[in-house]
Amino acid sequence: MSFLNFLISGISLGSIYAIIALGYTMVYGIAKMLNFAHGDVIMVGAYICFFAVSRYSLPPLVGILVAMVICTLLGIIIEKLAYKPLRAAPSLAVLITAIGVSYFLQNAAQLLWSSNPKVFPMFFQRMVSKTTPDGTVQIVPVNGIDLFGGELRVSYVTIVTILVCLIIMLALTAFTGNTKMGKAMRACSEDKDAARLMGINVNTTISVTFAIGSGLAAIAGVLLCSAYPTLVPTTGSMPGIKAFTAAVFGGIGSIPGALLGGLMLGVIEIMAKAYVSTQLSDAIVFAVLIIVLLVKPTGLLGRPVREKV
Amino acid sequence: MGQILKVEDINVYYGSIHAIKGISFEVNEGEIVTLIGANGAGKSTTLNTVAGLLHSKTGSVHFCDEPIDKLACHQIVSRGIAMVPEGRRVFAHMTVQENLDMGAYSRKGDITKDLERVYEQFPRLKERRKQVAGTLSGGEQQMLAMGRALMSSPKLLMMDEPSMGLAPILVEQIFAIIKELHKAGTTILLVEQNAQAALSVADRGYVLETGKIVTSGTGAQLLASPAIKKAYLGG
Ligand SMILES: Nc1ncnc2c1ncn2[C@@H]1O[C@H](COP(=O)(O)OP(=O)(O)OP(=O)(O)O)[C@@H](O)[C@H]1O
Ligand SMILES: [Mg+2]
């Protein structure tokens, strides 16, 4: 049963990576840039939700919504102030700017919220009354379900994370496949000038992409901190890098690729931790990445660039 | 017949390269006007400047008596200019149908009539409506690029070398379609390497040489001119 346990936690961690990877992959697909500040937007989202719930006693769902709204705005503002002026600049300049924005967000968080760890509240639990052997009735929190007589334990966070990831993937697939804005996004990611000639406002489309990615980052931040409840200003950076890796792994620019890459990365990481070595798990993850990229340079679901002359 | 497009003294640069040197021309409603010239003369640059993909340092561009030279491309398109870009530029990963939908992006309201019209004009596209555009043949892609531009029901249709890389039979078909569009009242600004074919359908033409207009006249005049014959029509 322990294998199944590891698999489920791998899928759950992978779901979080997948949601974050979406932000990288969508922005890369359209703006052709790596938004390295994306991981830190996750951290901001987690902090906003933390304060909304712990300090202002808002219900968790409202806290998540507030975090999404603020991160969405933050994403749009970052794009407007930091990246839009560099639209015509070489990609190296944009990359350095993105790294700068990342440090800016981390330092701002340190100033605003200090680097003392915050303990993220438990959202996904339910209170049940339990009769103890001596006959008294107690109300205790339960944060998961036991299966197979307690051999397999699945926490609510895990279930919610996987479900949320699936819903987001389905919603985004429907959005890019069927809506006018979604199709405009695909058109921009293929050929910006041709998209302009269709009457598409490319700047607006890029803003919308940043908005969606950042809104999702807030959800990822809350899910991440629900599973690993220590919140510090650098909380987002490692998952951010892993999710970026997941996006490359799956084929950057591809939405199903982000899902596949995220899930595989999560499962490989947890399995490596469980069966090989905790210290080496990251090295193993990246070794697998390198092998995949050697065999398939565009990632698992990435499309080779082809042109017809 | 009113003037639909008036370009006055535009100068366009690529960095330090001075590609368009003070060009002026106009297109009247219902006309086919063609720009011809050798490779690198500045034909595509001119069309891209009218469409707003590039901007001129001087002069002005008026469309339906309104200045458009300061507008962004998407704003110009929504005023009624469509362009079939050089090299087709269809969205390779989108289906034929989706490409046509994108053509109607700036339109409001029902587009089924226009879609039917385009499919009538290009039956081949209808057969392949679910096919991804990147897998179409070159000629089919060209038809798609034209159909896509027509989906916006433009007042002015600009085409940049629509016959490039096509078999002679397809070139004929493309020019037949251009004539048909003309008959239906569409105003067309056509850029072509194939000067013979372009001048024979055009009402008027302009000859570009290294960023300047060197000659202009009716299609028939230019076809008959010895200098043009020598330079562009192979004798
Ligand atoms: N992106 C660019 N950067 C620098 N120079 C350019 C660029 N595009 C075009 N040019 C230059 O501007 C001039 C005009 O180019 P343009 O593409 O308008 O020519 P054209 O008449 O369309 O030629 P062709 O018939 O080969 O398509 C050429 O000298 C070309 O080298
Ligand atoms: Mg050209």
Side-chain angles (χ1 to χ4, degrees):
Chain A
M1 272 313 144
S2 63
F3 175 78
L4 207 53
N5 256 330
F6 294 136
L7 184 65
I8 291 173
S9 24
I11 291 175
S12 169
L13 178 63
S15 299
I16 296 176
Y17 289 156
I19 299 172
I20 307 171
L22 277 175
Y24 279 107
T25 234
M26 288 171 65
V27 164
Y28 181 84
I30 288 175
K32 299 286 177 272
M33 66 159 291
L34 294 172
N35 177 20
F36 268 113
H38 188 59
D40 303 290
V41 176
I42 293 163
M43 171 274 296
V44 173
Y47 268 104
I48 302 289
C49 184
F50 170 82
F51 283 112
V53 174
S54 298
R55 182 159 311 165
Y56 299 101
S57 328
L58 295 171
L61 210 55
V62 178
I64 295 171
L65 283 178
V66 171
M68 283 179 72
V69 170
I70 292 184
C71 283
T72 302
L73 291 176
L74 181 66
I76 294 173
I77 292 169
I78 290 174
E79 197 274 324
K80 276 255 141 51
L81 293 184
Y83 303 145
K84 194 176 168 194
L86 297 177
R87 204 56 55 76
S91 55
L92 214 49
V94 184
L95 185 68
I96 291 167
T97 308
I99 294 171
V101 173
S102 165
Y103 279 112
F104 174 82
L105 290 178
Q106 285 180 23
N107 291 347
Q110 227 163 50
L111 265 178
L112 283 172
W113 304 314
S114 92
S115 43
N116 293 334
K118 308 262 186 292
V119 180
F120 205 78
M122 292 286 276
F123 290 160
F124 305 106
Q125 59 184 12
R126 127 191 110 91
M127 295 298 176
V128 291
S129 49
K130 218 176 186 175
T131 318
T132 47
D134 54 25
T136 55
V137 177
Q138 278 184 326
I139 307 273
V140 291
V142 170
N143 62 8
I145 42 177
D146 290 324
L147 298 170
F148 306 111
E151 276 201 68
L152 183 62
R153 178 157 184 80
V154 186
S155 69
Y156 293 134
V157 187
T158 303
I159 298 171
V160 169
T161 302
I162 295 171
L163 283 180
V164 165
C165 175
L166 280 178
I167 292 168
I168 289 174
M169 288 295 160
L170 291 176
L172 266 188
T173 307
F175 175 73
T176 52
N178 303 320
T179 66
K180 201 167 171 177
M181 180 47 84
K183 285 187 198 170
M185 282 166 60
R186 282 160 62 208
C188 286
S189 77
E190 282 202 39
D191 186 336
K192 284 206 190 50
D193 277 347
R196 287 190 177 98
L197 287 174
M198 303 297 108
I200 295 168
N201 186 340
V202 173
N203 282 334
T204 307
T205 311
I206 292 178
S207 284
V208 170
T209 309
F210 269 86
I212 294 175
S214 306
L216 295 181
I219 298 180
V222 172
L223 292 173
L224 181 74
C225 289
S226 295
Y228 306 90
T230 315
L231 179 55
V232 289
T234 51
T235 287
S237 63
M238 200 55 198
I241 290 174
K242 296 261 183 69
F244 164 62
T245 311
V248 175
F249 198 51
I252 194 145
S254 154
I255 290 177
L259 176 63
L260 185 64
L263 291 180
M264 295 211 36
L265 204 77
V267 171
I268 294 171
E269 182 179 334
I270 297 286
M271 291 296 172
K273 273 196 178 123
Y275 294 111
V276 189
S277 142
T278 314
Q279 281 83 21
L280 278 182
S281 68
D282 286 346
I284 292 170
V285 165
F286 283 91
V288 174
L289 170 80
I290 290 166
I291 292 168
V292 166
L293 291 184
L294 281 177
V295 179
K296 219 169 167 301
T298 50
L300 294 170
L301 301 183
R303 297 186 283 217
V305 188
R306 64 169 168 207
E307 247 156 59
K308 200 162 224 156
V309 192
Chain B
M1 273 210 305
Q3 233 165 38
I4 193 162
L5 181 74
K6 188 169 179 61
V7 176
E8 278 174 301
D9 187 35
I10 55 169
N11 280 280
V12 185
Y13 295 79
Y14 292 102
S16 60
I17 298 169
H18 192 178
I20 299 293
K21 302 163 186 156
I23 282 183
S24 304
F25 66 93
E26 68 278 323
V27 178
N28 298 315
E29 217 173 325
E31 271 187 327
I32 298 184
V33 171
T34 182
L35 303 179
I36 58 174
N39 292 121
K43 306 178 297 291
S44 300
T45 306
T46 306
L47 290 200
N48 288 341
T49 307
V50 172
L53 288 173
L54 297 170
H55 290 274
S56 169
K57 285 217 167 135
T58 60
S60 65
V61 180
H62 281 77
F63 178 62
C64 298
D65 296 324
E66 279 178 58
I68 56 167
D69 43 284
K70 297 285 180 292
L71 299 181
C73 182
H74 66 95
Q75 294 167 311
I76 291 175
V77 169
S78 63
R79 285 176 186 225
I81 297 184
M83 178 153 108
V84 182
E86 189 171 27
R88 316 187 251 270
R89 308 281 283 265
V90 295
F91 299 114
H93 298 295
M94 298 174 112
T95 63
V96 167
Q97 175 78 54
E98 284 173 331
N99 266 278
L100 294 175
D101 288 345
M102 293 324 292
Y105 185 85
S106 59
R107 299 255 319 260
K108 288 179 189 65
D110 195 26
I111 57 161
T112 43
K113 267 226 174 66
D114 301 83
L115 195 60
E116 261 166 43
R117 204 194 56 220
V118 167
Y119 278 144
E120 218 169 90
Q121 233 145 17
F122 306 99
R124 187 73 74 85
L125 293 183
K126 191 168 188 178
E127 287 164 31
R128 308 191 168 233
R129 61 203 296 173
K130 293 256 153 50
Q131 190 172 327
V132 172
T135 60
L136 295 176
S137 79
E140 288 162 349
Q141 288 189 3
Q142 187 62 56
M143 292 177 198
L144 179 56
M146 286 177 73
R148 186 177 68 172
L150 289 171
M151 283 301 290
S152 67
S153 275
K155 292 192 195 115
L156 172 65
L157 176 63
M158 303 196 290
M159 290 189 257
D160 198 343
E161 303 201 25
S163 71
M164 188 170 59
L166 300 186
I169 177 101
L170 271 177
V171 174
E172 261 172 50
Q173 203 181 330
I174 295 281
F175 276 95
I177 289 163
I178 291 174
K179 275 188 222 159
E180 230 172 84
L181 291 171
H182 181 229
K183 228 187 275 163
T186 314
T187 310
I188 295 172
L189 178 55
L190 175 66
V191 159
E192 259 301 335
Q193 283 293 331
N194 192 339
Q196 173 83 49
L199 287 173
S200 44
V201 295
D203 296 300
R204 293 187 303 112
Y206 294 87
V207 181
L208 259 70
E209 237 166 62
T210 56
K212 290 193 192 102
I213 289 178
V214 289
T215 321
S216 64
T218 65
Q221 277 168 355
L222 292 177
L223 266 179
S225 140
I228 302 289
K229 255 193 194 144
K230 192 149 180 281
Y232 303 104
L233 305 174

